[in-house]
Every structure is written in structure tokens, then in C-alpha cells.
Amino acid sequence: YQQALVSAEKALNIAKENYPPEHPYALSSINTLAEIHTVRGNYSEAESLYKAALDIAKDSYGEHHPNSARFMSKLADLYIYTGKMSLAAPLAKTALEIRQKQYGTNHIDVASSLNTQGSLYEALGDSEKAVKILKEAYDSAINSVGKKHPLTAVILNNLAWNYRILGNYQQAENLCRESLKIREDIYGD
């Protein structure tokens, strides 16, 4: 990941030199760099970058714009991953509300936000609520991107995990197999 980090930093510097901060290339470069830091375990650096991107999006597009929701969701995912649920919850909720208002119920971004909400409830120990929300996420994904999509596979996997927690092992196994099949169809064996 070191080479990816170096390349992402170069891309961000080029974007900063050639575009205003709110330009999609600049925001995308910040996002890519934050994702690399997340994968590398540099959570404070990733958090700082996501916060900067969120501030730029809010200042440029407004707090209730899908670009702002994107970075709210990214930051919420990071906070869930690092166990900061009290910080994740309001961001995840607001991102979902913005996306539902903008796109309705059947859109990939809505499905993604519902998946984040499901992950939040799972992390809070409420797998029953997580299953309910993840079923909504699955329906949204199926109706927007279809069955053979990576997000659909992720949602099915998260549903399976929560069914496992609830003791419904057969349903968990079935969903794991379905998620695996989708991934094999997309990426190969």
C-alpha cells in the first residue's frame, strides 16, 4: 500500500494545483487518500481527510447535498469501524435522510446508507434492528443496481452475519452462499 499512498498523495497535490477544492477530482483525490489511510490503519489521518472533504462539500454545495452526504457516510463508516458509535450515529442518519430525500428509496447511495445504518445497529448490539434495516438495504440495492453487484453481495453478507448472531444459522449460511455466488459471478472463482 505504500506505492498507493505515494500515488494518491501525488494525485491530491495535482488536483489541488489544478482545480478548486470543491471540484469532483479534488474531492475524489481526498477520498482515495482517506481510504488508503483507512486500509493501512491510519485512522486519525483518514478521519482528518474525511472531515476536510466534508467541510469542503458543505461549504461548496450545502449541508443537505448528496456530496455532503457522501462524506458523512464515509466518516460514519470509519467511526463504526473504530468503535465511535456516538459520532457515527448522527452522521449515518443525516446521510441517509439526505439521500432518501434526493433519490427516493431505490438508489445505490440509499442502499449504501441503509447498509451503514445496519452496521451501526449491529455494532450497538441490536441485530434484530440491523436485520430489518439490512433487508431494506437489500431491496434498495436489488431495485437500483440489481442482484449481481458488489454492494448487493456486501449487504447479503452483513445480513448473514446478523442472522448468525441471532442464532438463525441456516438463513445465515444461505445468505453467505448467495453473497459468495454473486462475488464469484462478478470476479470469478
Side-chain angles (χ1 to χ4, degrees):
Y1 289 106
Q2 184 59 37
Q3 184 58 41
L5 181 64
V6 170
S7 296
E9 287 172 343
K10 282 183 183 177
L12 178 57
N13 287 333
I14 291 168
K16 284 181 176 179
E17 290 172 9
N18 293 292
Y19 302 103
E22 71 277 4
H23 192 278
Y25 290 150
L27 286 172
S28 180
S29 295
I30 294 170
N31 181 64
T32 299
L33 188 56
E35 287 178 353
I36 292 168
H37 279 296
T38 300
V39 170
R40 292 185 58 149
N42 300 331
Y43 304 126
S44 62
E45 186 64 31
E47 178 184 16
S48 177
L49 288 163
Y50 283 137
K51 282 182 172 179
L54 177 58
D55 288 343
I56 292 167
K58 282 181 176 179
D59 289 346
S60 302
Y61 301 105
E63 187 167 348
H64 301 289
H65 190 275
N67 284 340
S68 298
R70 173 183 180 204
F71 293 105
M72 287 176 197
S73 188
K74 295 281 189 177
L75 198 50
D77 285 336
L78 178 67
Y79 286 146
I80 291 167
Y81 188 74
T82 57
K84 299 176 181 176
M85 303 312 154
S86 63
L87 296 174
L91 289 167
K93 181 179 186 282
T94 303
L96 176 60
E97 289 170 351
I98 292 168
R99 288 171 163 177
Q100 285 176 326
K101 183 176 181 181
Q102 180 73 28
Y103 304 122
T105 57
N106 297 323
H107 189 276
I108 188 172
D109 289 346
V110 173
S112 179
S113 281
L114 287 165
N115 186 59
T116 297
Q117 286 283 87
S119 296
L120 177 63
Y121 280 104
E122 175 197 317
L124 292 170
D126 191 347
S127 285
E128 287 182 11
K129 181 79 170 174
V131 164
K132 180 180 181 279
I133 291 171
L134 289 167
K135 284 179 177 179
E136 290 178 50
Y138 177 75
D139 289 343
S140 180
I142 289 295
N143 291 318
S144 60
V145 295
K147 188 164 186 130
K148 289 186 180 182
H149 190 277
L151 179 60
T152 307
V154 167
I155 293 167
L156 285 172
N157 197 65
N158 290 342
L159 260 172
W161 181 256
N162 281 280
Y163 276 122
R164 187 201 64 79
I165 291 169
L166 294 170
N168 189 338
Y169 302 113
Q170 188 59 54
Q171 182 69 1
E173 180 180 346
N174 293 341
L175 292 172
C176 277
R177 288 180 189 279
E178 191 176 345
S179 176
L180 178 60
K181 174 78 170 100
I182 293 168
R183 290 170 195 219
E184 287 174 345
D185 289 347
I186 294 170
Y187 304 115
D189 293 341

